[in-house]
């Protein structure tokens, strides 16, 4: 059983920074794509950042490019999302995701999901 657990969400002033973490456990050896998505009420889940391990990336959504950075630690069992220069538009529930291969940011193309962590940005 694959498990992904996000942490690090919270409240931050506009212009501030926040670092999210995702812990991967279980049978993860075949998961070659890891990434982050976000979602607000009434909107579709949006791809934020991803890595195709040993193949390509990192990939970023247009709205966060240059401000967010995805990275790995703990031999790939932890995925980080460093978020800088945050705006109120970045407020959302952020989800960690994993898949067998990189196919794009469409949520239906990903195989495993975490429970989400809330990020709030004050103006």
């Amino acid at each position: 059983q694959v498990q992904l657990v996000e942490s690090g969400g919270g409240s931050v002033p506009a212009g501030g920074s926040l670092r999210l973490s995702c812990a991967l456990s279980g049978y993860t050896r075949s998961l070659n794509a890891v990434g982050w998505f976000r979602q607000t009420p009434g909107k579709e889940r949006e791809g934020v950042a991803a890595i195709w391990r040993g193949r390509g990336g990192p990939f970023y959504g247009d709205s966060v490019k240059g401000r967010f950075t995805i990275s790995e630690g703990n031999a790939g069992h932890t995925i980080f999302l460093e978020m800088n220069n945050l705006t109120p538009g970045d407020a959302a529930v952020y989800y960690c995701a994993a898949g067998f291969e990189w196919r794009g940011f469409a949520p239906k193309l990903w195989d495993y999901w975490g429970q989400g962590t809330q990020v709030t940005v004050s103006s």
Side-chain angles (χ1 to χ4, degrees):
Q1 183 70 37
V2 173
Q3 291 181 303
L4 293 79
V5 180
E6 303 95 335
S7 62
S11 297
V12 60
S17 299
L18 202 63
R19 190 192 195 196
L20 306 182
S21 298
C22 174
L24 285 71
S25 62
Y27 193 74
T28 63
R29 61 193 299 175
S30 64
L31 300 177
N32 295 309
V34 294
W36 289 91
F37 291 72
R38 66 187 184 187
Q39 189 169 25
T40 57
K43 295 184 178 180
E44 294 184 355
R45 194 163 295 189
E46 172 191 19
V48 174
I51 300 172
W52 191 9
R53 290 170 168 174
R55 294 287 295 174
F59 310 103
Y60 296 99
D62 289 340
S63 64
V64 307
K65 193 171 298 182
R67 299 188 297 122
F68 291 12
T69 302
I70 186 171
S71 61
E72 297 181 82
N74 191 27
H77 288 92
T78 303
I79 312 300
F80 301 103
L81 183 68
E82 181 71 36
M83 304 184 293
N84 299 311
N85 195 23
L86 286 161
T87 74
D90 296 315
V93 176
Y94 282 72
Y95 297 90
C96 182
F100 297 110
E101 302 292 343
W102 164 257
R103 300 180 183 89
F105 274 126
K108 67 181 180 180
L109 301 177
W110 293 72
D111 300 289
Y112 300 98
W113 297 89
Q115 83 289 341
T117 186
Q118 179 73 56
V119 172
T120 301
V121 183
S122 59
S123 60

